[in-house]
Amino acid sequence: MARSKKILIILSVAVLLLLCCFPLIISEHYMIVSLLIMGISFLPFMYRFSKQKLTSRELVMLAILGAIAAVSRVPFASLPSVQPTTFVIIAAAIVLGPQSGFVIGVLAAIVSNLFLGQGPWTPWQMYAWGMIGLTAGLLRNTLFMKHMLGRCVYGFGVGFLFGWFMNLWFVVSMINQISWTEILLYYSASFYFDLAHALSNVIFLFLFSNAWIKIIKRFKTKYGLFE
Amino acid sequence: MSTRGVWSFHPAVMLAYYVVVIIGFMLSQHPVFLAVGVGFLLVFHFLIDKGKQLKTWSTMILTLAVFILVLTPVFNRRGNHILFYLFGNQVMLEAIIQGIMLALTLVGILLVFISLNQIISQDRFLYLFARISPQWALLSMLAVRFVPLLKKRLKEIEEIQKVRGFSVTKGSIKERGKNGMLFLQALLTGSLEQSIQSADSMSARGYGQQKRTHYQAFTMKNKDWYALTFILVTGSCMVFGWWLEDSVLSLLPVLETSQLEQREWVFIANWTLLLAFPLWLEGKEVAKWKFYLQKI
């Protein structure tokens, strides 16, 4: 089990790197190939979870964390592009590990889109939030994630990456002949939104991550979940 | 939930239809094909809810479309026909056509998704999902059920905290953000504790004892099979048109005329047939309704 997990993770990271380097090598049929690569790195985790045996308590806990991540957009609706969904996913992943972090991220995307409307962005959001949860879970035992500064740096980076990745659905599906000036312009247009997301991640992580991690950890220990 | 017209079909048929139409929009890079597609979708939106849902999205769609229409000619300088010079840069006819096609593709795909959200409702979506992976479907169903519950609880928390002087609507951004997070924290603690109860009641009712079966909310009827065949036949015909490059306007090396020629008429007829399918289903119902109203 543990070994297959490691192999899976190494594979998907390699595939992600390939996805990033790909446009530099071949620019034709970028869209189809990138979708394929995404699918290849994404589906094993989806499959792995669908075959996993979970107790009812674990299942309901994952569902409630995913639902909280989705609902957390509600009280912040009046503040543009500030939403703690990413924060909730990171906090939960730090306690529960990569697999659960991935599941909560994907679930948050599915559920919030069921209420806000599905679109071409749904799979990209699933992927982006899933991967944020996965990497946060992977790094949870490192000094980097244990230290508040490291956590904030992670939140900041991930805020920008999320925005850039979400721009991709637009860039990849719309611009057949990818020209870098166009892409740069589009990305600079979204800069302030990405910045707001990144900064709000940092603020949330700085002020609340200790409390949230403590709450979830206590809960995990109290009922002996995910052991 | 409505079960007439388009909604009377099996969700899998609906999904197949949407997949084929989206592929159609991506493959048929020809202004006439795309414009016909967008036109039909607009009419369809008007038929299903008088375009109400469309209005809420219209700003976003128009902004994106204008963005592409303006930017593509500015940055794309490949082509043979120079139209005019803008600040010393030539603007190409090819680039303008390209911009129009990209904008139409984007608008078309977004329109498809807006109607998809109305036609494939939450229950249908989860039904389709459950066929692929029961575990994920169960998890999403649980989470979907929790969302209204959590919203209700969050509202209670907000009201109680308002009495104590904490609010998310008043004060500086810093205060609002902090209060919002504290409410969520209260929600987290309370909901996690109560989720154990839900879980235990699931176990008490036999969750995990044996393999779960699932409730068949939809069955494939004869008309579903006919519809599916129709969608698949017109869909493959459309892909064939793309393969022959009849439904694609070539921009380089030589710009093709946008007017339809010979075989292209066959493929546009096929594309129209595919797009008119839900329109016919809905229009039939509307006509019937009007007819019976007049009889009374």
Side-chain angles (χ1 to χ4, degrees):
Chain A
M1 199 73 158
R3 220 178 117 212
S4 77
K5 200 155 128 190
K6 241 179 214 160
I7 294 169
L8 261 182
I9 286 161
I10 292 168
L11 259 178
S12 79
V13 169
V15 159
L16 191 68
L17 282 178
L18 203 68
L19 181 71
C20 298
C21 304
F22 195 70
L24 303 173
I25 308 160
I26 312 164
S27 54
E28 256 179 88
H29 301 292
Y30 175 72
M31 185 186 130
I32 294 162
V33 177
S34 66
L35 286 181
L36 256 174
I37 293 177
M38 251 177 79
I40 292 168
S41 65
F42 183 64
L43 290 177
F45 291 104
M46 296 288 283
Y47 181 75
R48 188 165 180 274
F49 174 73
S50 70
K51 290 289 165 225
Q52 211 166 37
K53 273 228 179 318
L54 288 174
T55 66
S56 58
R57 283 179 173 182
E58 288 163 351
L59 193 76
V60 173
M61 187 175 175
L62 286 178
I64 213 124
L65 283 170
I68 285 181
V71 166
S72 64
R73 288 166 122 175
V74 175
F76 292 90
S78 59
L79 301 170
S81 139
V82 174
Q83 36 87 358
T85 310
T86 316
F87 159 75
V88 175
I89 293 166
I90 295 174
I94 288 176
V95 182
L96 302 177
Q99 169 87 53
S100 307
F102 173 80
V103 171
I104 292 166
V106 172
L107 192 64
I110 298 176
V111 171
S112 62
N113 283 319
L114 269 175
F115 287 91
L116 299 172
Q118 310 283 348
W121 48 82
T122 308
W124 301 88
Q125 257 176 14
M126 279 164 67
Y127 188 86
W129 271 331
M131 287 300 156
I132 288 175
L134 185 86
T135 42
L138 275 179
L139 296 172
R140 68 184 165 146
N141 290 328
T142 58
L143 213 61
F144 180 69
M145 245 357 187
K146 279 190 177 148
H147 203 276
M148 183 57 88
L149 184 71
R151 236 179 266 162
C152 290
V153 169
Y154 178 78
F156 190 79
V158 148
F160 268 104
L161 280 179
F162 182 83
W164 291 344
F165 196 76
M166 290 312 294
N167 288 347
L168 270 183
W169 82 260
F170 181 81
V171 170
V172 163
S173 53
M174 287 310 129
I175 293 153
N176 297 356
Q177 307 142 333
I178 294 177
S179 83
W180 288 105
T181 37
E182 232 167 301
I183 293 177
L184 271 181
L185 201 92
Y186 185 65
Y187 274 69
S188 63
S190 78
F191 179 77
Y192 284 102
F193 297 98
D194 299 338
L195 186 69
H197 184 197
L199 284 180
S200 64
N201 277 349
V202 171
I203 293 166
F204 288 141
L205 282 168
F206 182 69
L207 292 177
F208 301 101
S209 64
N210 279 337
W212 280 61
I213 288 170
K214 209 170 145 195
I215 293 171
I216 304 172
K217 200 176 258 168
R218 174 184 155 273
F219 197 77
K220 186 188 157 204
T221 328
K222 184 176 171 187
Y223 292 103
L225 304 172
F226 300 104
E227 306 230 297
Chain B
M1 202 73 243
S2 168
T3 49
R4 47 158 205 91
V6 210
W7 285 277
S8 64
F9 284 90
H10 192 275
V13 178
M14 295 171 173
L15 188 70
Y17 181 77
Y18 279 114
V19 169
V20 168
V21 172
I22 289 172
I23 293 174
F25 268 104
M26 297 215 265
L27 294 184
S28 312
Q29 290 297 320
H30 190 294
V32 179
F33 278 74
L34 293 170
V36 166
V38 170
F40 270 106
L41 284 172
L42 284 175
V43 177
F44 183 58
H45 271 285
F46 187 76
L47 269 180
I48 49 177
D49 67 343
K50 299 215 165 65
K52 264 181 224 144
Q53 196 66 31
L54 194 59
K55 262 178 213 149
T56 59
W57 289 89
S58 53
T59 340
M60 178 210 174
I61 294 179
L62 285 178
T63 329
L64 282 176
V66 169
F67 189 79
I68 298 176
L69 272 180
V70 174
L71 283 186
T72 316
V74 174
F75 288 104
N76 192 344
R77 305 238 174 75
R78 285 190 279 182
N80 306 319
H81 301 76
I82 300 170
L83 283 183
F84 55 86
Y85 283 86
L86 190 77
F87 307 121
N89 293 321
Q90 65 250 45
V91 174
M92 298 291 185
L93 177 65
E94 280 89 344
I96 287 183
I97 296 175
Q98 174 90 45
I100 292 172
M101 293 201 302
L102 285 176
L104 282 173
T105 313
L106 179 84
V107 170
I109 288 178
L110 288 175
L111 288 180
V112 168
F113 270 102
I114 296 167
S115 75
L116 181 140
N117 284 325
Q118 285 167 284
I119 309 288
I120 303 187
S121 49
Q122 280 182 20
D123 56 327
R124 292 191 169 96
F125 183 80
L126 288 173
Y127 169 80
L128 284 171
F129 215 49
R131 303 298 287 275
I132 305 165
S133 163
Q135 178 111 315
W136 274 104
L138 177 65
L139 190 65
S140 338
M141 249 181 247
L142 280 172
V144 165
R145 186 266 171 276
F146 283 140
V147 167
L149 183 75
L150 292 181
K151 272 190 188 159
K152 207 177 117 199
R153 277 189 200 149
L154 194 63
K155 211 172 161 215
E156 278 171 16
I157 295 170
E158 266 174 38
E159 273 164 9
I160 293 162
Q161 296 294 331
K162 207 188 249 168
V163 182
R164 297 182 57 211
F166 298 105
S167 156
V168 275
T169 46
K170 280 184 210 126
S172 63
I173 287 191
K174 198 182 151 197
E175 262 174 44
R176 276 155 63 186
K178 201 173 174 198
N179 287 340
M181 256 349 252
L182 286 173
F183 296 176
L184 280 179
Q185 205 167 303
L187 181 72
L188 174 78
T189 329
S191 304
L192 279 177
E193 208 55 62
Q194 288 184 2
S195 74
I196 287 296
Q197 259 193 8
S198 318
D200 288 347
S201 87
M202 266 170 74
S203 297
R205 287 179 173 85
Y207 171 80
Q209 295 290 315
Q210 56 188 20
K211 205 169 181 294
R212 272 175 296 129
T213 55
H214 67 261
Y215 168 62
Q216 288 280 350
F218 305 93
T219 45
M220 286 290 274
K221 293 182 287 274
N222 268 344
K223 71 170 188 175
D224 291 317
W225 288 113
Y226 295 143
L228 192 63
T229 320
F230 170 78
I231 291 165
L232 290 181
V233 169
T234 44
S236 16
C237 190
M238 174 196 78
V239 174
F240 186 59
W242 167 75
W243 185 69
L244 288 174
E245 297 195 348
D246 280 348
S247 59
V248 182
L249 185 81
S250 70
L251 296 168
L252 289 168
V254 184
L255 180 67
E256 194 188 341
T257 167
S258 320
Q259 270 166 355
L260 297 174
E261 292 160 329
Q262 301 146 26
R263 267 195 326 220
E264 293 177 355
W265 284 106
V266 179
F267 289 109
I268 195 123
N270 174 61
W271 179 229
T272 314
L273 213 61
L274 179 67
L275 287 162
F277 178 56
L279 230 63
W280 177 67
L281 291 171
E282 279 301 296
K284 204 175 63 180
E285 302 274 325
V286 173
K288 249 189 211 165
W289 174 247
K290 290 265 155 68
F291 174 73
Y292 285 124
L293 271 185
Q294 274 194 344
K295 255 187 150 180
I296 300 164

